[in-house]
Amino acid sequence: MSRRWHTTAIVLIVVFAALFRLVHLGDASFTHTEAWRANWTYSGGLDQARRFPPLQFVLCRTIQNVAGRREMPLRVPYALAGVGCVIAVY
């Protein structure tokens, strides 16, 4: 019984963490930092890549090429990383 309760608790915590992060993800417009990151990764080449961690630059650039420069697609990887942190901490 204890193991089942433990598994249920983990699933509920992860579901709530995902809901809190993903529900209104694309509602608000970009903050100053997000707009700066989106513009630099969209317009820049390798010289702009030096201003960001390499994985972040490649991730943002790939998302912009596939889904465009909208708010929600650019925020999804960071929201999923937040859910992954909840899993890792638990």
Side-chain angles (χ1 to χ4, degrees):
M1 182 73 175
S2 176
R3 182 155 175 89
R4 187 172 186 189
W5 181 86
H6 183 70
T7 304
T8 304
I10 292 172
V11 169
L12 285 175
I13 289 170
V14 171
V15 166
F16 283 128
L19 284 174
F20 288 136
R21 284 171 175 78
L22 297 173
V23 168
H24 297 289
L25 198 60
D27 291 350
S29 58
F30 281 141
T31 61
H32 175 71
T33 315
E34 290 173 325
W36 182 77
R37 183 186 322 120
N39 286 333
W40 280 60
T41 55
Y42 184 74
S43 63
L46 292 177
D47 58 328
Q48 302 298 336
R50 288 188 220 127
R51 299 176 187 261
F52 299 100
L55 181 60
Q56 181 183 17
F57 180 80
V58 170
L59 186 65
C60 285
R61 187 70 180 237
T62 304
I63 290 170
Q64 286 178 352
N65 289 337
V66 172
R69 294 176 64 185
R70 297 178 317 226
E71 287 89 359
M72 191 173 126
L74 286 173
R75 289 179 178 155
V76 166
Y78 303 108
L80 293 178
V83 173
C85 287
V86 170
I87 294 169
V89 168
Y90 194 81

